[in-house]
Amino acid sequence: MLITKQADWARNIKEPKAAVEMYISAGEHVKAIEICGDHGWVDTLIDIARKLDKAECEPLLLCATYLKKLDSPGYAAETYLKMGDLKSLVQLHVETQRWDEVRGKQASWAGAPPEPWDTWAGTGTLWGLRGEKLPP
C-alpha cells in the first residue's frame, strides 16, 4: 500500500521511471504497463511481459496491445503465445502480412483455423495460407 502511494506520488511529480519501478514492486503491473506504453518504452514492456505469469491475462494483453501499437509485432506475438491467445496471434500476423508466421502456426490449430485468418485486415479480401488471393 505504501509503495503504491509512493508510486502515485512519483507519477504525479513527473518521475515515470521511478513510478514504474514502484508499481512493479507493488504488483500494480497494469499501472506500470500504462506508463511504459504511454512513454513508448518497448524494452521495459518486453521485460514486464516476460516476467509476468501466463495466467495474468489482463496485464499481458495490455503489454501485447502496446507492443503492437509501438510497432513491435514480434514481441506482441511472443506475448500472445505466452497467453495461448491464438486468435489474437493470427490476427496480428494477418494485419502485418506475416504469412509465413500464419502458416507456421497451422499445425497447432487442431481442426479449423481460428478467425480471422482468412480476411486481410477487414478489406474483405480472402487470402489462403500460402498468401494467395482467393476468389470471392
Side-chain angles (χ1 to χ4, degrees):
M1 182 74 171
L2 179 61
I3 295 175
T4 301
K5 287 185 181 198
Q6 289 174 327
D8 290 339
W9 177 76
R11 188 178 199 175
N12 290 335
I13 65 163
K14 308 291 188 224
E15 290 291 337
K17 286 197 182 277
V20 166
E21 290 174 14
M22 287 184 241
Y23 280 132
I24 290 170
S25 294
E28 296 278 347
H29 297 109
V30 170
K31 289 181 181 181
I33 293 164
E34 288 171 345
I35 293 171
C36 294
D38 292 343
H39 285 85
W41 297 338
V42 172
D43 291 340
T44 308
L45 286 168
I46 294 165
D47 290 341
I48 292 170
R50 287 179 174 168
K51 290 177 183 172
L52 288 170
D53 185 84
K54 66 181 180 179
E56 296 183 73
C57 292
E58 181 186 1
L60 283 171
L61 184 59
L62 189 57
C63 275
T65 301
Y66 274 117
L67 289 166
K68 181 177 165 182
K69 179 181 170 185
L70 295 169
D71 199 30
S72 295
Y75 294 111
E78 178 184 320
T79 306
Y80 289 135
L81 269 174
K82 181 175 185 171
M83 295 170 44
D85 187 350
L86 189 58
K87 182 177 179 178
S88 295
L89 177 64
V90 171
Q91 176 66 40
L92 173 70
H93 291 321
V94 168
E95 288 174 7
T96 57
Q97 298 185 29
R98 299 171 106 195
W99 301 114
D100 289 340
E101 296 291 336
V102 175
R103 282 192 297 276
K105 302 297 177 255
Q106 206 173 356
S108 65
W109 288 347
E115 293 293 328
W117 72 276
D118 59 349
T119 304
W120 157 238
T123 63
T125 303
L126 296 177
W127 298 89
L129 290 177
R130 291 180 297 284
E132 77 278 12
K133 188 173 179 179
L134 299 175

